[in-house]
Amino acid sequence: MTALTVRNLQVSYSGVPAVARYDVELQPGSLTVILGRNGAGKTSTLRGIVGFLPGETGRATGEIELLGQVVKRPSPLALSRQGLCLISERNKVFTGVTVADQLELISPNARAQRRVLDIFPRLAERLDIRAGLLSGGERQMLATALALLREPKVLLVDELSLGLAPAIVHELMQRLRTLADEQGLAILAADQAVTASLKVADVVQVMDDGEVVASGPIADLDVETVLATYLGQETV
Ligand SMILES: Nc1ncnc2c1ncn2[C@@H]1O[C@H](COP(=O)(O)OP(=O)(O)OP(=O)(O)O)[C@@H](O)[C@H]1O
Ligand SMILES: [Mg+2]
């Protein structure tokens, strides 16, 4: 069964279009990456899917099917209960709360906590530290761990690489690949880290000015042309 289908998603702010049309089909165990420069519409796409747009100005329309069920009115909380989690671009963790307490808040189940700490052993060494004192990479790990505690089938990840050194970006991207391979998660990640994304993704969608301008399995894409035409100079 297809994990997530999005058809003709359109997002606008105060009537100004940010995403003209977006379609995707995610299979279990697959990793799709949306690449695009600043302002291309990546965050708007992910937030549009989960219905998490600024209340007064943001508007999203389109068809969404999650695990075979049509989603009529998407909301982050309802979707999280149905198996889809978004790790958002900013404010991913509560800075004043310790790692241990944040895990506990999501799931008091010690075995479930152990499972996610096994995926991110570095967090296991930081349990008593408030998230505000973690490094950027460790914060991303915590945000991912918190999402995984909800046992999603579909994971949307916005800008995992934000502000991180290339080595950490590669490590985190590799973790996403492993989650898809070993746990069968369907993952849709939006990122500007071109090299790291191309190493792990099955499918790439290049977004420019609110539209997907090139997409397909990595093997079918003319990566050089896509990079030069739509993404300018790569960052990672
Ligand atoms: N809350 C908002 N109100 C009005 N316009 C917005 C809002 N959020 C985003 N936009 C506009 O929508 C367009 C797409 O922005 P979006 O944040 O989706 O891009 P992005 O690809 O995620 O960029 P970045 O790489 O910088 O995160 C931009 O033109 C942006 O100015
Ligand atoms: Mg963004």
Side-chain angles (χ1 to χ4, degrees):
M1 187 201 299
T2 303
L4 179 73
T5 306
V6 177
R7 280 190 216 100
N8 196 17
L9 177 76
Q10 302 186 14
V11 179
S12 59
Y13 300 100
S14 306
V16 179
V19 178
R21 184 200 166 100
Y22 178 81
D23 300 275
V24 80
E25 267 195 21
L26 303 182
Q27 304 304 330
S30 70
L31 173 52
T32 299
V33 178
I34 307 173
L35 296 174
R37 51 184 130 207
N38 291 121
K42 304 180 298 296
T43 297
S44 301
T45 299
L46 297 185
R47 295 182 95 182
I49 293 172
V50 302
F52 184 44
L53 290 161
E56 289 183 6
T57 60
R59 185 175 146 77
T61 58
E63 293 163 39
I64 295 170
E65 236 178 87
L66 174 61
L67 305 166
Q69 304 271 327
V70 174
V71 179
K72 292 235 171 67
R73 284 169 169 264
S75 81
L77 192 59
L79 286 171
S80 146
R81 292 195 180 118
Q82 290 170 53
L84 182 150
C85 280
L86 167 68
I87 304 177
S88 62
E89 191 171 22
R90 294 196 176 79
N91 307 324
K92 292 177 163 96
V93 296
F94 297 110
T95 50
V97 182
T98 66
V99 171
D101 285 351
Q102 300 208 39
L103 295 171
E104 187 75 17
L105 277 170
I106 305 278
S107 170
N109 181 327
R111 279 177 61 191
Q113 291 186 14
R114 177 48 51 197
R115 266 203 305 275
V116 299
L117 290 172
D118 284 347
I119 296 172
F120 298 108
R122 222 176 313 172
L123 288 180
E125 298 161 13
R126 308 272 193 283
L127 284 174
D128 297 328
I129 291 177
R130 277 179 284 133
L133 301 177
L134 295 174
S135 73
E138 289 164 351
R139 279 195 211 192
Q140 301 288 50
M141 289 176 196
L142 177 58
T144 311
L146 295 173
L148 292 176
L149 267 184
R150 298 189 163 95
E151 302 191 350
K153 300 275 187 281
V154 181
L155 199 57
L156 310 187
V157 191
D158 197 0
E159 218 75 57
L160 194 65
S161 68
L162 201 70
L164 301 181
I168 304 281
V169 174
H170 281 274
E171 182 187 332
L172 290 173
M173 284 289 176
Q174 199 54 54
R175 289 283 152 86
L176 292 187
R177 180 72 260 170
T178 307
L179 287 169
D181 290 342
E182 294 182 0
Q183 302 194 21
L185 281 179
I187 303 176
L188 177 61
D191 221 290
Q192 293 197 46
V194 176
T195 308
S197 299
L198 292 178
K199 277 206 176 117
V200 296
D202 300 301
V203 175
V204 170
Q205 298 180 308
V206 181
M207 192 170 245
D208 194 39
D209 208 10
E211 284 187 68
V212 173
V213 289
S215 71
I218 299 250
D220 297 353
L221 274 186
D222 177 356
V223 173
E224 296 293 315
T225 308
V226 165
L227 288 183
T229 312
Y230 298 111
L231 300 172
Q233 199 170 2
E234 59 179 303
T235 49
V236 177

